[in-house]
Amino acid sequence: MMKRAVMLVLSMLLLGLLIPMAQSMGMGANESISTNKAVYVLGETMTLRIHGLNSTWYEIHVDNGHYAIAYVQTDKEGNNVTKIKVSYANHLGPGTHSIQLVRYGTEDVLAETEIEVREGLSLWPSEYTNTPGVYLGGETMWVKLHGENNKVYEINITDNNGRGVYPRNKTAISIKTDGKGYAIFNITLNMGDGGYDINLCENNTIIQNTNFLVKSVGVEVSIDKGKNGVYLLSEKIQAYVSVYWLKTHTLIRNANYRWWIVDYDNHSLTFGPYMENSTQFTTYTLGSYENGHGVHMVPNHEYILKVAYENTNSTGKYYCENAVKFYTGSLYATVDVQPIIGSLSSESSAKITVSAFAATSSLLSPLSNAKINFVNITIYNHWNTLWHKNYTNYGYTDKSGEAVLVQNIPKVEAGAKISVKAMVSYGNEKYMATYEDWISPFVTVSIHFDKDFYLSGDTANIQLKANAPNGVSVESYDVMIFTNNIVFYHKTTSNSQIDYKIPANYSGVVYLRVTAYFSGGYYKSAYGYFNVYYGYIYMSASKYYYLNPGDKITVYTKFVSNVMNPKSLTYRVIDDSGNVVYSKSESAGEFTFTVPQGHSSKYKVMAEATDGRHVVSNSIDISQFKGYVISTKILTPSKYENSVYEPGDTIEIAYNITKFGEFTPHTLVLHWVILNTNYRWEKSITPKEFSGKISLKIPSELRGGYIIAVYVTDAEGSANIEGFLTINVESGSWSMKSVAGMPTLSLINLILVIVAIVLGVFALLRGTNMKIERKPKLPKRQKKSAPKPYNPEGNEEETEEVTEENPTSEFDEELEL
């Protein structure tokens, strides 16, 4: 009995150890995970039902991801109900996904189920802006819905304050068996401009929304110096404004707008007055503005001129603004001297041009009404003044920023130089511009490279060319090859050709300064530069303009380098929004990509090579063709062969014009021309006449082949792909006319052949013996030996004497028919 009790206790202890072990290993458990439905729309809430071990923690993963989107704990019965938002944040974008129950703290998948996520709401592009999400007042907005099959959803539109605007009560939209449905909303003018939300609802709960923008009016602003114009602080800006309806592109009458200037820290420096029914305005003097905190405008900085239109009336609230960038700069001036005829020499006439600018370190804008305080002209030889002239208060620069002076140069001895100094002022700023050059003789020096660019390790072949009049010769060149802080080469030589070995470890810009020294003490300098690359990728494309998305474009590449050896090139195609639409790595050669569907009309194709030490890249641009493509066809049948007509015939031509690219077509001028002649016709057509017919009468004096070109032009000068037709013009004659569609000459030839065949058959039937006597053979003649080839080693080769008999053929034998 004692033994049995001991065994029972041991068994219970062992069972107590095995049960937790089995639980920890998942043995005996029936873990499962399920969802409340199989198809969801982005924004919906997914209900998960989990069954597992009692009071146990689990993780919820998506698509074998190494992260949990939720942590859950079962109750005492091993159950749990969890709700998870179907969203990108939870890695549940449109597509099919696996929802997995994972053991806590591990990546062991215990159970899984599959769901499909559909996009829900999406907006079709605007007919006018070609952009989804931006619409014009008065147009129709199409809404696409991808949801559960055979289900009814509700949609409404609310403003930024959540108030329903259209329709105020929700509108039902039914989903078809393919999971798709559509809705149409008319964006009325009384909605007003601004942001709105379109809401997808189910059971009075918004499950998804997307926003869109309504714009009814637009404003354009330009300035007198153009985009990125540079102004002095003592100048005023002349601005030009137009406020217009976006849909019709017609100006809004009596439109009031306001303007202000914003500095580089986005501080408003000034607010101008409201402009009533005006198409232009002039700012105050720029230097008088400040931002309200004592901060004035300063030179060499970027500013923005903004213009806004805002109006609230019975049809809605409208607001739009636009801006143009400008810069403040400092006064800068130049003076240039050029001969009126020939070269700048003794007893010649010179044109002296003084130019004034408002300038930053990198930008220039011509400055009108700048005062020319004086122009000082001096001709000297070494330190001796030979001639002098001074003009004071010469005048002001014109609209192009220039003031011109014509000066006769007196007779001076050889070796003289001309010096011109001009003082220019505007407001409180002054600038002295100078110019100096030889008068006579006229000497020049120029630099020429054998390549457009070089690779690291290349040898650059540099040719120096000096020109001088008779009696003056070049004596030497002082050549310096350098970069910003390194002098690679500096030498004085009489050789006009420089072979420079580029270092293998350098890439960048290399500069040259060459000074040519001539007899008589003259000298002239020239500057040049070339680019050096570690490697270079040559790129070209089968076409640089495409007509429609879906077109295939082949890109060709070739990589060259002296120091790089990359395993492959990386190719990327990037749209004008910066999105990569194609990416691939492979060796240089060629690859083909398909222009994707989307809203981009321009793509940058980039190629990059790297070998771990250096990276080089290149790119080309591919754009959608903007203009017109014309197809043509001759409707008038030819009297003779295809496309052969007689002088005086009238040809009717059908044409069809297709517009490509986003622009509004206007009235066009249709041209049709007989190339290489003076015969041309044209007529104006509206967009409704983009398909039609034209005719032309072949002039009586034309003979031969001609090409008819058909093309269009418009006010904007849009490019177009022409339609071409080829015709032949022949005068009427018996040899060209036809019988049953066959030219008469060809028919006669055919009849002659048939007659010959008939005569041959007739002769066979009569049994006539026809003999062809064999010609007597000619005696053998010895062929002359060819000259022996020259043998540099002096060995004579044996040559064989060649004889030739009169060749015979099968027709030399006696033939009987």
Side-chain angles (χ1 to χ4, degrees):
M1 179 67 69
M2 179 64 71
K3 185 176 180 180
R4 182 175 298 175
V6 171
M7 292 296 292
L8 181 60
V9 172
L10 291 174
S11 299
M12 293 178 66
L13 290 172
L14 181 61
L15 186 60
L17 292 171
L18 290 175
I19 289 176
M21 185 181 298
Q23 288 180 342
S24 66
M25 297 177 63
M27 298 172 60
N30 185 23
E31 285 104 344
S32 64
I33 184 171
S34 62
T35 58
N36 59 320
K37 57 182 181 178
V39 177
Y40 295 88
V41 171
L42 271 176
E44 282 192 281
T45 299
M46 174 176 60
T47 301
L48 292 176
R49 298 187 181 276
I50 299 158
H51 179 74
L53 301 177
N54 302 343
S55 303
T56 301
W57 281 95
Y58 294 93
E59 298 179 5
I60 307 300
H61 288 209
V62 175
D63 299 332
N64 295 309
H66 303 294
Y67 41 79
I69 64 170
Y71 298 93
V72 298
Q73 185 183 28
T74 57
D75 58 18
K76 294 180 180 180
E77 278 108 32
N79 297 319
N80 178 278
V81 177
T82 297
K83 295 183 181 296
I84 295 177
K85 187 86 166 178
V86 178
S87 64
Y88 288 103
N90 286 326
H91 307 282
L92 293 171
T96 302
H97 301 281
S98 175
I99 311 299
Q100 297 158 332
L101 182 66
V102 176
R103 190 188 310 281
Y104 183 81
T106 72
E107 293 188 7
D108 300 335
V109 178
L110 305 173
E112 61 184 322
T113 186
E114 190 174 88
I115 66 168
E116 181 186 354
V117 178
R118 293 181 177 174
E119 182 181 13
L121 290 172
S122 61
L123 304 178
W124 284 3
S126 162
E127 177 184 356
Y128 298 92
T129 69
N130 198 35
T131 303
V134 180
Y135 301 90
L136 305 187
E139 77 163 303
T140 299
M141 177 175 66
W142 286 72
V143 180
K144 182 172 64 175
L145 176 59
H146 192 191
E148 291 185 64
N149 299 358
N150 304 311
K151 188 169 183 177
V152 177
Y153 294 90
E154 296 173 328
I155 290 180
N156 78 332
I157 296 176
T158 56
D159 61 15
N160 287 338
N161 297 317
R163 295 174 298 191
V165 292
Y166 185 107
R168 297 188 182 278
N169 297 319
K170 299 179 179 67
T171 294
I173 178 170
S174 299
I175 303 300
K176 300 179 182 179
T177 55
D178 61 356
K180 297 178 181 179
Y182 306 92
I184 302 174
F185 294 96
N186 293 319
I187 300 176
T188 60
L189 288 174
N190 59 13
M191 284 179 64
D193 290 4
Y196 295 88
D197 288 325
I198 181 165
N199 307 300
L200 177 65
C201 307
E202 184 178 11
N203 299 325
N204 293 320
T205 301
I206 295 177
I207 61 175
Q208 185 190 107
N209 67 6
T210 185
N211 53 44
F212 65 93
L213 183 66
V214 174
K215 297 176 64 177
S216 298
V217 294
V219 59
E220 292 183 358
V221 56
S222 61
I223 55 179
D224 53 340
K225 292 194 178 183
K227 185 178 179 182
N228 297 327
V230 184
Y231 294 83
L232 301 182
L233 293 181
S234 51
E235 283 190 273
K236 298 178 180 181
I237 296 178
Q238 181 72 46
Y240 307 92
V241 178
S242 59
V243 182
Y244 57 95
W245 295 109
L246 287 171
K247 186 176 179 182
T248 61
H249 280 268
T250 56
L251 292 177
I252 300 176
R253 295 183 178 180
N254 303 318
N256 301 331
Y257 57 87
R258 60 188 177 92
W259 61 269
W260 68 103
I261 294 176
V262 176
D263 67 9
Y264 45 91
D265 290 324
N266 204 29
H267 295 140
S268 295
L269 274 74
T270 185
F271 285 93
Y274 272 90
M275 309 302 297
E276 298 182 2
N277 194 23
S278 175
T279 57
Q280 65 184 49
F281 66 89
T282 303
T283 67
Y284 306 123
T285 302
L286 295 178
S288 65
Y289 295 144
E290 62 174 77
N291 65 359
H293 302 283
V295 179
H296 289 266
M297 296 179 71
V298 294
N300 301 311
H301 279 284
E302 172 187 313
Y303 295 91
I304 298 174
L305 174 66
K306 290 190 174 184
V307 174
Y309 167 78
E310 184 174 6
N311 187 25
T312 302
N313 54 37
S314 59
T315 60
K317 180 178 180 180
Y318 307 109
Y319 179 83
C320 61
E321 68 176 50
N322 207 337
V324 61
K325 185 187 299 182
F326 69 93
Y327 294 84
T328 55
S330 302
L331 177 62
Y332 175 72
T334 63
V335 61
D336 183 57
V337 180
Q338 294 295 330
I340 300 294
I341 299 175
S343 63
L344 193 64
S345 59
S346 177
E347 296 184 293
S348 65
S349 295
K351 176 184 176 183
I352 301 174
T353 304
V354 181
S355 302
F357 304 92
T360 68
S361 57
S362 58
L363 296 172
L364 290 172
S365 288
L367 182 63
S368 60
N369 293 317
K371 184 178 180 180
I372 312 299
N373 297 78
F374 66 78
V375 178
N376 189 307
I377 308 171
T378 302
I379 297 177
Y380 66 97
N381 190 344
H382 300 293
W383 294 276
N384 299 319
T385 299
L386 305 178
W387 182 86
H388 177 77
K389 184 75 173 180
N390 189 52
Y391 296 90
T392 58
N393 297 322
Y394 183 71
Y396 295 85
T397 55
D398 58 16
K399 291 183 178 180
S400 62
E402 294 182 349
V404 176
L405 168 67
V406 175
Q407 179 63 56
N408 294 322
I409 297 176
K411 183 177 181 179
V412 293
E413 61 188 50
K417 299 186 78 172
I418 183 171
S419 170
V420 180
K421 296 179 180 180
M423 175 63 76
V424 180
S425 63
Y426 194 100
N428 296 325
E429 298 185 64
K430 293 183 178 181
Y431 191 92
M432 177 73 80
T434 61
Y435 176 90
E436 188 173 273
D437 199 4
W438 296 101
I439 290 182
S440 177
F442 186 69
V443 294
T444 63
V445 62
S446 57
I447 305 170
H448 303 270
F449 304 106
D450 63 323
K451 295 181 181 179
D452 294 330
F453 66 88
Y454 296 92
L455 299 173
S456 305
D458 273 356
T459 297
N461 181 269
I462 305 167
Q463 191 74 30
L464 310 177
K465 293 184 179 180
N467 292 307
N470 294 332
V472 178
S473 60
V474 61
E475 294 181 341
S476 63
Y477 300 95
D478 182 83
V479 181
M480 179 183 289
I481 302 175
F482 60 97
T483 183
N484 291 335
N485 53 5
I486 302 173
V487 176
F488 293 125
Y489 177 99
H490 190 189
K491 186 177 180 180
T492 299
T493 177
S494 59
N495 194 344
S496 62
Q497 181 168 315
I498 307 296
D499 294 324
Y500 170 66
K501 178 72 173 180
I502 301 168
N505 61 348
Y506 179 78
S507 174
V509 181
V510 175
Y511 299 95
L512 279 84
R513 187 201 68 194
V514 176
T515 301
Y517 293 94
F518 300 85
S519 60
Y522 310 120
Y523 61 88
K524 193 73 173 179
S525 297
Y527 296 84
Y529 70 92
F530 57 83
N531 291 299
V532 178
Y533 305 106
Y534 287 125
Y536 191 82
I537 305 172
Y538 289 95
M539 297 184 69
S540 61
S542 57
K543 53 186 174 183
Y544 294 91
Y545 293 92
Y546 66 91
L547 294 180
N548 294 302
D551 287 1
K552 293 185 180 299
I553 298 176
T554 300
V555 178
Y556 307 95
T557 61
K558 179 183 178 182
F559 178 75
V560 291
S561 177
N562 296 321
V563 297
M564 294 178 63
N565 187 25
K567 294 181 180 179
S568 62
L569 302 185
T570 299
Y571 303 106
R572 287 191 299 273
V573 181
I574 303 172
D575 65 18
D576 54 10
S577 297
N579 302 311
V580 178
V581 299
Y582 178 93
S583 181
K584 190 175 184 180
S585 292
E586 61 180 34
S587 58
E590 65 180 65
F591 71 92
T592 300
F593 75 95
T594 302
V595 177
Q597 298 288 340
H599 311 295
S600 181
S601 60
K602 186 176 181 180
Y603 295 88
K604 184 174 288 295
V605 183
M606 300 189 67
E608 183 180 276
T610 178
D611 64 353
R613 299 172 300 162
H614 311 299
V615 178
V616 297
S617 63
N618 199 0
S619 65
I620 56 176
D621 291 327
I622 307 293
S623 303
Q624 188 172 24
F625 174 76
K626 180 181 177 180
Y628 304 96
V629 174
I630 305 176
S631 59
T632 54
K633 181 181 179 181
I634 295 179
L635 300 178
T636 305
S638 174
K639 296 179 181 178
Y640 314 126
E641 297 178 350
N642 290 336
S643 301
V644 177
Y645 300 89
E646 289 187 359
D649 285 352
T650 298
I651 301 176
E652 189 176 48
I653 300 170
Y655 68 88
N656 184 66
I657 302 171
T658 305
K659 179 182 78 74
F660 287 90
E662 295 304 321
F663 62 95
T664 302
H666 302 287
T667 299
L668 305 177
V669 179
L670 180 66
H671 306 261
W672 58 105
V673 179
I674 301 179
L675 297 184
N676 299 320
T677 73
N678 293 323
Y679 295 102
R680 53 187 64 242
W681 301 264
E682 65 180 43
K683 73 170 183 177
S684 296
I685 58 173
T686 66
K688 294 182 179 180
E689 300 173 292
F690 275 15
S691 291
K693 299 176 183 177
I694 55 177
S695 63
L696 65 87
K697 185 176 182 180
I698 299 176
S700 59
E701 69 272 17
L702 294 188
R703 298 290 188 278
Y706 292 91
I707 295 176
I708 301 173
V710 184
Y711 64 96
V712 294
T713 57
D714 65 6
E716 300 176 357
S718 296
N720 71 89
I721 298 178
E722 302 177 10
F724 292 99
L725 299 164
T726 302
I727 63 169
N728 287 287
V729 181
E730 300 289 347
S731 59
S733 65
W734 69 272
S735 64
M736 288 301 300
K737 294 184 178 180
S738 61
V739 177
M742 176 180 289
T744 305
L745 185 59
S746 300
L747 185 62
I748 292 173
N749 290 334
L750 179 60
I751 292 172
L752 292 175
V753 171
I754 294 173
V755 170
I757 294 173
V758 170
L759 290 176
V761 171
F762 179 74
L764 284 172
L765 292 176
R766 292 186 58 189
T768 305
N769 289 330
M770 299 177 66
K771 290 187 178 181
I772 299 178
E773 296 293 337
R774 183 173 60 189
K775 294 183 293 184
K777 293 183 179 180
L778 297 176
K780 293 182 180 180
R781 56 190 177 91
Q782 187 174 1
K783 185 177 181 180
K784 295 183 179 179
S785 300
K788 295 181 180 180
Y790 170 71
N791 190 335
E793 298 183 0
N795 298 327
E796 294 186 0
E797 296 183 359
E798 293 184 0
T799 57
E800 200 175 291
E801 187 175 46
V802 179
T803 59
E804 181 183 78
E805 294 183 0
N806 189 46
T808 61
S809 73
E810 55 181 330
F811 295 106
D812 287 330
E813 301 298 328
E814 211 174 66
L815 298 180
E816 291 187 1
L817 296 179

